[in-house]
Amino acid sequence: MAVEMKLPPVLDIIRGNIVKHGNPLALKGAEVASWAKKLNLPAQGEILFYTGGEYQLVPFIDSLVKTMTHMDQGGKGFSLMMGVRNILDKAGINAEKIYASVLAKDKERFNNVCYKAAVVLQQLGYDLCYGGEQELYSGALLYELGYWQDLREYGQKVVQSIKQSGAKTIVCLSPHAAEVFKLVYPKLVNGFQIEVRTFVEMVWEKRDKLPAVKFDDSVVIHDSCRLARELGIDQELRDIMESVGVPVLEPMRSRKWTTCCGGPGKLLFPEISHKIADRRVGELEETGAGVILTSCPYCLAALQGGSREGSGTGVEDLIEFLYRGFAV
Amino acid sequence: MSVDLQKEFGDYSKNLNRASKDTNIETAITRAVKAYRATVADAMERYPHTPDLAAEVRRIKADSIANNDALLRQAMESVERNKGKAFYARDKQQALEIVAEIIGKEKIVVKGKSMLGEELHLREYLEEKGNEVWESDLGEFILQLKNDRPMHILSPAIHVPREQVAEIFSKFFGREVPPDIAQEVAVVRDFLRDKYFNAHVGISSANVVAADTGAMVIIENEGNIRLSTAAPPVHIVVVGIEKIVPTFQESMKVAEVTWRYAQYGVPSYVSIISGPSKTGDIEKVTTYGAHGPKEFYVVFVDNGRTAMAQDELFSQALHCLRCGGCMYECPVFQVTAGNFGHTYLGGIGSIWTVFVSGGLEKAAPLLYTCLRCGRCVERCPMQIDVPAMVAELRNRIINGEEQETGLDSQAS
Ligand code: SF4
């Protein structure tokens, strides 16, 4: 007999958003693709630049989580299976207001990561195409949270949208997208036959073309779990830093032994997640490096959230850091 | 049917949050993680053959689990041949009844540390039956007095600092016990010594069982196992069926890998017990109960393990040696200790909870706590893929249990 379990609503909200809106937070396509306006990337080509909307949604997660926890405690019953906008409206909290509370500078920063990534790759000689408003989130969270049946279906849509680009290679900014495409799609979704690369690998291959980054301090690398353990990419980051002439310090735990940033726990256990991030930032700061570098939208957000006011150690994505070399 | 887990999630996460702010836990775990990493790194350097041996043990465990039925039969025969008595307990209730039946009422029982004991709530059950039961492992003893549950499988009282231990002991012994570890150890030693020699029954588990000889291999440092399995006239071993390996030789390999990753470096004691105490010194007539127990019982407990063994993805969870290494490396465990878990703790614990200790519903909050970050797999000598199992179990939570959504089933 099937026993249906009622889980915390945030799970189903995320699921509904992905399946219906192609984005875990139901961000609008125009919002997700706004960073690309200046670049005029074609919709078709050999190499598909893939953001999956992940960097773009990161600044919204915290306000969603705050609202959710608030609502849970208030015991407001609200029906599931709706887009987050609907839910927030129904519970009497205005969606636009929640999202409006996200600081413009945060939105801009994370949107800019996508822009900078595209510029870096273009400067290294890659010809990119981009799905724009049609681009769909990979569905990594469907896999992560157990919605495999949904992923089977949703994945077909993703495959179709990717196929439209005619690309042979997809370059993922987020290791979570790369992981799900590379390791899960082949087993769960039919017809996915495109070479999956990460931003890091693409840069690594042409690292001799990278301009030096003028930086008087050293950096410490926070390996993302997915990148280091699932995808086996760790040395590449160090090689890249060597190419741009910036010394790298190693924290107590790195590479295959890297400590999780706590990000995956954010939706259900925000306090624990924050605490873990905080401790990880502590491990990284102990090295005395000037900047903490990572290559994952969730790590970036989590570590940013865990970093202490006034500690002086910045947190940057590898993309942002490399872009320093191009933006003179 | 539908089960609303929202309250459980709520209570559970409140508890996690509380734990993450508990400075006792923070201090203790920080110390423990540091010590664990240092000891294991040191042991690996001193005994560099360990990773290869672990690889061999992975094969031994995999074969043993695949062959568990036959090994169980063989192990039971060996125990009987050695003049012990062997039992098979299908589930928790049966296991408890068998043990209670052997013991009877109003007995003094000394007990060694065992996760299976926790799984069965063995001490509580025997107490209900009117027995006086003492945990002989120091950590477990503290928890028994504190009315608390283990927060780590090897260092159950990992979350209780010496100051708190002193308080607990002062209250229990009715005199001032200072917050001095040596003195704390000494009072328990005195107290339990008396129990060992007056106990009617000693209960232990086993880290490994060799089917060919019926040998129970038990690793420890304190010496409490030595005493509680040797002094009382009756010794009962309560052990999970997954602990059986084919030969004595192999059991030694499993034992070495277990203690190496369990931060023992070299354990002070490894007991190998295969039957009751005996002597043939007078006229070559074998007589039982010379200095040690006259009676020796082994209860092999299934309680869901066979179902686990038969599941292609989940049988690997039975390879767990309970070394505890994964917990020290778990970022969630590091801030919450055993609050991330029920009886079985951490990521691997969430898997065990599903099969032997409460089921999918009970495990759901745990399964969603796991970050699936994968560092436990790096540490695990058995390379148990906890993140993969957690993912599949979440899928079962969402899409139903009986549906076999093995990853490979549909896609080409
Ligand atoms: S899962 Fe692995 S690391 Fe964790 S206790 Fe078991 S054997 Fe040790």
Side-chain angles (χ1 to χ4, degrees):
Chain A
M1 180 185 53
V3 178
E4 196 201 316
M5 292 184 225
K6 248 186 163 181
L7 299 162
V10 66
L11 299 179
D12 224 33
I13 290 175
I14 298 291
R15 170 202 164 270
N17 286 339
I18 297 171
V19 172
K20 285 205 181 139
H21 302 281
N23 179 282
L25 297 190
L27 298 185
K28 292 176 177 145
E31 215 161 347
V32 172
S34 66
W35 65 270
K37 274 188 210 118
K38 295 174 255 182
L39 291 179
N40 269 325
L41 296 168
Q44 293 188 321
E46 292 275 297
I47 304 172
L48 179 63
F49 183 81
Y50 182 79
T51 75
E54 291 184 82
Y55 278 96
Q56 299 92 311
L57 69 77
V58 147
F60 296 91
I61 295 178
D62 283 330
S63 24
L64 173 72
V65 167
K66 236 184 253 152
T67 314
M68 295 298 311
T69 6
H70 178 75
M71 281 168 29
D72 265 353
Q73 278 165 1
K76 285 195 182 139
F78 46 83
S79 71
L80 312 171
M81 324 281 279
M82 279 189 265
V84 67
R85 283 168 196 280
N86 300 342
I87 286 203
L88 297 176
D89 287 342
K90 198 161 196 175
I93 305 160
N94 182 285
E96 299 308 329
K97 251 191 208 155
I98 299 292
Y99 280 174
S101 77
V102 175
L103 295 178
K105 75 168 177 16
D106 286 340
K107 265 197 270 190
E108 196 179 299
R109 175 181 177 185
F110 285 92
N111 273 330
N112 253 330
V113 174
C114 301
Y115 172 79
K116 290 175 178 175
V119 170
V120 169
L121 292 175
Q122 283 180 328
Q123 294 288 332
L124 290 177
Y126 293 110
D127 259 339
L128 307 175
C129 65
Y130 173 54
E133 295 185 19
Q134 310 307 319
E135 187 192 67
L136 293 174
Y137 169 66
S138 68
L141 276 169
L142 291 176
Y143 177 72
E144 193 68 31
L145 299 176
Y147 295 96
W148 293 9
Q149 286 303 348
D150 292 302
L151 182 57
R152 285 182 204 279
E153 276 175 42
Y154 175 76
Q156 294 303 330
K157 284 204 239 168
V158 179
V159 168
Q160 285 318 314
S161 78
I162 290 172
K163 271 192 182 152
Q164 276 167 19
S165 70
K168 293 201 175 65
T169 303
I170 184 169
V171 43
C172 302
L173 301 192
S174 161
H176 291 260
E179 182 201 16
V180 78
F181 285 148
K182 218 170 173 163
L183 305 176
V184 178
Y185 268 54
K187 298 178 196 159
L188 219 56
V189 182
N190 287 313
F192 188 80
Q193 277 144 349
I194 185 167
E195 183 199 26
V196 182
R197 314 295 308 273
T198 58
F199 173 84
V200 177
E201 292 166 285
M202 301 288 276
V203 171
W204 181 80
E205 266 169 31
K206 301 201 175 184
R207 64 191 182 283
D208 49 328
K209 291 195 179 154
L210 283 169
V213 174
K214 268 220 201 80
F215 187 67
D216 295 336
D217 210 331
S218 47
V219 297
V220 57
I221 290 173
H222 164 75
D223 294 284
S224 123
C225 298
R226 291 302 188 281
L227 207 55
R229 283 191 279 261
E230 254 62 46
L231 300 168
I233 298 169
D234 54 17
Q235 184 53 39
E236 288 83 344
L237 291 147
R238 278 104 186 140
D239 293 347
I240 291 171
M241 292 323 287
E242 199 186 325
S243 302
V244 299
V246 175
V248 175
L249 300 175
E250 295 291 345
M252 179 162 68
R253 283 310 215 211
S254 67
R255 301 184 190 245
K256 284 200 169 351
W257 287 98
T258 186
T259 309
C260 177
C261 67
K266 213 174 220 176
L267 291 171
L268 283 166
F269 306 102
E271 283 188 52
I272 299 298
S273 164
H274 189 270
K275 174 107 187 193
I276 293 170
D278 199 67
R279 285 167 55 97
R280 178 54 171 167
V281 170
E283 283 179 21
L284 294 160
E285 282 182 347
E286 252 173 44
T287 59
V291 162
I292 296 169
L293 273 195
T294 188
S295 182
C296 166
Y298 309 107
C299 292
L300 181 61
L303 297 177
Q304 190 72 60
S307 79
R308 277 144 259 222
E309 296 270 325
S311 79
T313 318
V315 183
E316 282 184 37
D317 197 276
L318 173 75
I319 294 165
E320 298 174 294
F321 196 81
L322 293 180
Y323 186 78
R324 287 171 179 239
F326 290 103
V328 214
Chain B
M1 203 175 112
S2 144
V3 206
D4 194 342
L5 290 178
Q6 296 184 47
K7 187 175 176 314
E8 275 214 55
F9 262 87
D11 295 347
Y12 167 78
S13 77
K14 266 185 211 126
N15 192 41
L16 276 191
N17 292 341
R18 182 198 48 73
S20 75
K21 290 181 199 112
D22 184 331
T23 47
N24 280 345
I25 294 184
E26 168 127 31
T27 318
I29 301 262
T30 308
R31 269 186 214 151
V33 170
K34 216 168 148 194
Y36 176 83
R37 286 175 174 171
T39 322
V40 171
D42 186 64
M44 292 301 164
E45 216 168 281
R46 205 182 303 279
Y47 307 103
H49 66 281
T50 307
D52 287 344
L53 191 61
E56 204 183 330
V57 167
R58 284 197 290 278
R59 282 193 300 275
I60 294 172
K61 289 298 280 185
D63 291 348
S64 303
I65 297 301
N67 216 3
N68 198 252
D69 277 359
L71 289 177
L72 172 63
R73 241 173 294 132
Q74 197 192 352
M76 291 180 74
E77 280 162 22
S78 298
V79 170
E80 298 271 342
R81 194 171 56 242
N82 299 341
K83 299 287 184 262
K85 280 211 157 45
F87 301 85
Y88 168 77
R90 197 182 48 245
D91 55 22
K92 176 175 167 175
Q93 193 52 34
Q94 216 176 34
L96 290 170
E97 281 166 14
I98 292 168
V99 178
E101 174 86 20
I102 298 169
I103 294 177
K105 284 186 175 42
E106 284 156 36
K107 301 283 169 45
I108 300 174
V109 180
V110 281
K111 183 180 160 293
K113 178 174 64 193
S114 130
M115 288 308 299
L116 176 55
E118 296 290 326
E119 176 186 323
L120 302 172
H121 300 293
L122 183 57
R123 189 184 80 230
E124 293 82 351
Y125 186 83
L126 295 175
E127 283 171 347
E128 268 168 37
K129 294 277 160 203
N131 297 292
E132 179 187 330
V133 188
W134 294 103
E135 297 288 352
S136 61
D137 173 84
L138 180 59
E140 291 272 13
F141 180 77
I142 294 169
L143 297 181
Q144 180 175 10
L145 299 190
K146 191 171 178 273
N147 225 335
D148 201 349
R149 68 181 181 86
M151 283 291 144
H152 188 272
I153 54 175
L154 285 160
S155 322
I158 192 172
H159 57 304
V160 194
R162 71 187 75 165
E163 293 76 13
Q164 208 183 347
V165 172
E167 259 172 55
I168 296 165
F169 284 1
S170 300
K171 194 166 152 225
F172 176 74
F173 293 111
R175 66 187 158 92
E176 188 67 19
V177 178
D180 171 90
I181 297 175
Q183 293 191 55
E184 288 168 348
V185 172
V187 288
V188 177
R189 178 190 164 101
D190 286 347
F191 176 79
L192 283 180
R193 199 141 285 254
D194 180 61
K195 299 295 172 197
Y196 291 128
F197 290 99
N198 288 310
H200 304 97
V201 181
I203 298 180
S204 76
S205 190
N207 297 91
V208 206
V209 177
D212 62 347
T213 56
M216 310 287 136
V217 182
I218 316 172
I219 306 163
E220 61 154 340
N221 270 336
E222 291 183 12
N224 63 311
I225 296 289
R226 297 244 135 176
L227 284 160
S228 49
T229 61
V234 177
H235 175 202
I236 306 173
V237 180
V238 186
V239 64
I241 55 171
E242 83 282 10
K243 300 286 185 197
I244 311 170
V245 298
T247 66
F248 181 74
Q249 298 285 325
E250 287 165 315
S251 76
M252 289 298 106
K253 292 178 180 172
V254 178
E256 184 179 348
V257 170
T258 305
W259 75 59
R260 186 95 357 102
Y261 286 85
Q263 204 192 350
Y264 283 91
V266 176
S268 290
Y269 307 102
V270 178
S271 300
I272 299 165
I273 303 172
S274 316
S277 150
K278 61 187 175 202
T279 177
D281 280 0
I282 303 177
E283 295 181 10
K284 283 271 163 260
V285 176
T286 308
T287 307
Y288 292 92
H291 298 283
K294 188 174 180 179
E295 295 170 35
F296 176 67
Y297 303 89
V298 182
V299 184
F300 290 99
V301 182
D302 190 321
N303 200 30
R305 287 162 174 78
T306 297
M308 215 161 159
Q310 283 161 355
D311 192 307
E312 209 184 310
L313 179 61
F314 293 96
S315 65
Q316 61 175 315
L318 291 168
H319 302 173
C320 176
L321 305 175
R322 306 241 201 280
C323 71
C326 53
M327 288 163 219
Y328 289 113
E329 292 297 348
C330 171
V332 179
F333 191 87
Q334 286 180 350
V335 302
T336 62
N339 292 288
F340 173 22
H342 296 301
T343 294
Y344 291 100
L345 312 178
I348 182 73
S350 68
I351 313 296
W352 274 73
T353 304
V354 173
F355 287 88
V356 311
S357 189
L360 201 52
E361 288 150 42
K362 183 96 181 152
L366 307 178
L367 291 166
Y368 278 100
T369 310
C370 175
L371 300 162
R372 294 189 68 252
C373 79
R375 188 159 67 178
C376 57
V377 189
E378 298 297 323
R379 176 72 291 167
C380 178
M382 298 295 101
Q383 295 177 358
I384 297 172
D385 195 346
V386 169
M389 289 188 282
V390 166
E392 166 65 31
L393 287 168
R394 287 179 185 173
N395 175 48
R396 289 187 189 181
I397 288 174
I398 300 288
N399 293 308
E401 268 189 82
E402 50 284 289
Q403 184 201 346
E404 286 294 321
T405 24
L407 270 179
D408 294 305
S409 55
Q410 274 183 28
S412 53

